[in-house]
Amino acid sequence: MNFLPIHQNAKTESNPSAVGKFYRQTSPSIRWWFLVVGLVVLGPLLFLTTYQIVQIQEARQKAIERDLADRTQSAAFAVSTRLQVGIGHLDSLASTDAALSGDFKSLHRQAQRVSQKIAGLTGIGLMNRDLTMHFITSKPYGALLPKPPSTRMAETVFATEQPAVSGIFEGPFSGKKVVSLGIPLFQNGVVTHCLFMAVSSDAWSELLKSQQLPDEWRIALIDQDGLTIGRNVLPERYVGTPVVTEFIEQMRAGQSGLTSFTIKEGLPSIGFSAKIPGYRWLIAAAVPRMVVEAPLRSRLAWLMGTAIGMFMLMGLLAYFAGRRLETWSRKLLRAVQAIKEGRSEPVEPIRVQELDVITQSLIKAHYAKRKVQEELRRHEDHQEQMNAKLALSSIDGLTGLWQRQGFVDQVNQRLIQRPEEMGLAVTILFMDLDGFKAINDTQGHQSGDKILIDVGRVLRDIAGLSHVVGRWGGDEFVMCVFVPHDWTEAGIHELVTRIKRRIEAIGHNLGCSVGRAAWDRSINNLEQLIDRADESMYSEKMVARRRMSQLRVVRA
């Protein structure tokens, strides 16, 4: 229908038919109005759908990034555990009578037996202070040995008197790419040699493959020079070659975390790197962006195809609906004309429900989106609260050791790695301070807290990276010891004696009762093992009290 403007010039007022013809030529038809309304309704719907697809993709990418970080940290822990196992084997050899007495021929035989039990090991050797090899298990004792191709690890061991790892190099005897792990060998309190083992890159690549990452993911172990030690995909091509520039710069800056780069295969990727605790190695995992963005592209392609189809359908609907409305308009005009002329004709009702349906759909979509956002916010708030509670409940605020639940979680994580398959035995030491209550009663809780802090420092120093230590409660402490199976009972006894001496050295007539329990087939879980160690400690404390009572009677 056409409407006349309020102001008209004289020409239009004198010629109404000219006005109608002008508006019929310049006004859009009903079909165009349908198309405009359809675009107005469909446009926000497509925008909202696109926005939700992008939001879902961003959430998926964040989930992948979290998974990437978790898996990288898990792989770093596996590498650290494997290094600790190697250090444990070397420590066992370094503490033998042959090593301590300088009987290196016997030490060579013992090292040969140990090297046969460790997968991926190319040899165990001994290096002199002048950086020449004394022996290597892959050669007979006394054989003439060439100069080692890499001495940086041994130089670090002699300089720091601490364990060290090398970069990757080609082994002179095996012809394989290897890395070496070395520890100092003490004689009469002086470092005289470096005891080391060489592990092939194949062993590290197999360790990375055992992490069971998705097929498209890449993970690599990198040495301090930026060379690849092991890789889960195509290790034969990339082991020993430099990694991409981004990671070399990251290593030089001492950084780790999430980054974007192009992997060696030439694929833009999202990567995460993590340091190996206690060593200068780095582990990096990457997911190609095409894997992350593939769902977004497919959804957008689907959306584009859907939009094109809807636009075509909307054009057809506009055409037929326009024709229908034109028919209704003609009938209405005939009815109006009939009324004007005094005639009466029935008027068919014109009903349009589509706009209402689209409006309701938009409202529902809006409320659905808002509900999803509210649920996400509640979930994020809940997750932050849980993370904060977990962080507060895991570490003892006084001693800095693991609290009870944190200790149990840490030990269970290590037990998942199956230490028995790595040649390790598990022993729990349960410790209770003797004389601590008297100190609290006579000197006050402030002195008691200082003693607990000193005890925590002593236990943390003794545990190092090989064992797990925690505060069980009050003046009770617990330590999980991972030692090689060939450790004797005397070795555990020596560790217990060292703990007691260090705690007694704190002063204040402080002592310590230590109970111990070793994991065997009769143990069903960690809690049962801790209970046995607790009972052992209680028995030791009772024996000590009876001994003191008998001594008082004799003195009396």
Side-chain angles (χ1 to χ4, degrees), residues 404 407 427-434 471-480 512-519 523 525-543 545:
R404 178 179 297 199
F407 172 82
T427 300
I428 291 291
L429 302 181
F430 200 98
M431 295 155 279
D432 183 80
L433 301 181
D434 298 330
R471 183 182 179 191
W472 198 249
D475 60 346
E476 294 179 338
F477 298 84
V478 62
M479 181 184 295
C480 185
C512 180
S513 298
V514 182
R516 51 186 166 176
W519 194 293
I523 301 296
N525 49 54
L526 177 60
E527 288 74 14
Q528 186 178 358
L529 184 63
I530 295 174
D531 290 341
R532 286 196 181 182
D534 187 12
E535 293 172 0
S536 174
M537 181 277 297
Y538 182 76
S539 299
E540 179 179 334
K541 188 177 287 288
M542 292 298 101
V543 170
R545 288 179 179 175

Side-chain angles (χ1 to χ4, degrees), residues 164-468:
V165 294
S166 73
I168 190 166
F169 60 94
E170 186 171 340
F173 305 111
S174 64
K176 298 180 178 180
K177 294 287 193 304
V178 298
V179 293
S180 58
L181 169 65
I183 66 168
L185 182 62
F186 290 89
Q187 289 183 334
N188 298 323
V190 178
V191 178
T192 59
H193 296 80
C194 172
L195 186 63
F196 69 91
M197 62 170 57
V199 184
S200 70
S201 62
D202 295 338
W204 298 110
S205 296
E206 289 300 322
L207 177 62
L208 297 180
K209 291 177 182 178
S210 68
Q211 300 303 305
Q212 297 181 347
L213 300 179
D215 294 338
E216 301 86 358
W217 289 28
R218 303 291 186 268
I219 187 168
L221 183 61
I222 307 163
D223 67 12
Q224 56 268 37
D225 297 321
L227 300 179
T228 303
I229 298 174
R231 208 170 187 267
N232 67 329
V233 176
L234 298 176
E236 64 280 359
R237 178 185 298 179
Y238 296 112
V239 165
T241 64
V243 295
V244 293
T245 306
E246 289 90 337
F247 277 116
I248 294 179
E249 294 175 352
Q250 213 173 37
M251 292 178 65
R252 290 173 179 171
Q255 299 175 348
S256 60
L258 195 68
T259 185
S260 297
F261 64 99
T262 301
I263 61 176
K264 300 283 280 189
E265 288 89 335
L267 299 175
S269 304
I270 299 173
F272 188 90
S273 60
K275 299 177 182 177
I276 304 301
Y279 304 94
R280 296 177 61 193
W281 288 359
L282 191 74
I283 192 163
V287 183
R289 283 194 174 275
M290 59 182 298
V291 175
V292 179
E293 298 172 355
L296 175 62
R297 294 176 180 175
S298 63
R299 289 190 180 102
L300 290 178
W302 172 86
L303 180 63
M304 183 63 67
T306 303
I308 293 173
M310 291 181 69
F311 279 127
M312 294 177 64
L313 179 61
M314 186 173 60
L316 293 174
L317 290 176
Y319 174 76
F320 289 109
R323 289 189 61 181
R324 184 67 180 271
L325 285 177
E326 285 179 356
T327 302
W328 287 339
S329 298
R330 293 191 189 98
K331 291 181 178 180
L332 182 60
L333 287 174
R334 286 198 298 268
V336 171
Q337 187 66 29
I339 294 173
K340 191 175 181 180
E341 294 176 356
R343 296 181 289 106
S344 177
E345 292 186 6
V347 180
E348 297 182 3
I350 303 174
R351 300 175 181 177
V352 181
Q353 299 179 352
E354 287 76 11
L355 290 178
D356 182 63
V357 171
I358 294 175
T359 303
Q360 295 300 322
S361 299
L362 286 174
I363 293 174
K364 289 179 181 179
H366 170 72
Y367 281 112
K369 172 193 168 186
R370 190 167 68 179
K371 184 177 180 181
V372 169
Q373 291 175 337
E374 291 175 354
E375 289 294 332
L376 286 174
R377 283 196 296 268
R378 282 198 293 269
H379 177 72
E380 291 173 356
D381 294 341
H382 177 71
Q383 189 66 34
E384 290 179 359
Q385 295 174 2
M386 293 299 294
N387 291 339
K389 291 180 180 179
L390 182 60
L392 292 174
S393 63
S394 297
I395 302 297
D396 178 48
L398 182 63
T399 63
L401 302 178
W402 292 108
Q403 287 191 4
R404 178 179 297 199
Q405 188 58 46
F407 172 82
V408 171
D409 293 340
Q410 290 295 314
V411 174
N412 281 329
Q413 286 182 7
R414 291 207 182 185
L415 294 178
I416 291 174
Q417 301 293 330
R418 297 187 178 274
E420 68 276 2
E421 296 181 0
M422 303 178 187
L424 296 178
V426 181
T427 300
I428 291 291
L429 302 181
F430 200 98
M431 295 155 279
D432 183 80
L433 301 181
D434 298 330
F436 178 76
K437 185 177 184 300
I439 295 172
N440 253 349
D441 295 341
T442 58
Q443 301 182 25
H445 291 288
Q446 188 173 2
S447 297
D449 290 346
K450 184 179 182 302
I451 288 175
L452 291 176
I453 293 172
D454 293 339
V455 171
R457 187 181 300 111
V458 167
L459 295 179
R460 186 164 52 249
D461 180 54
I462 293 175
L465 297 175
S466 301
H467 314 309
V468 181

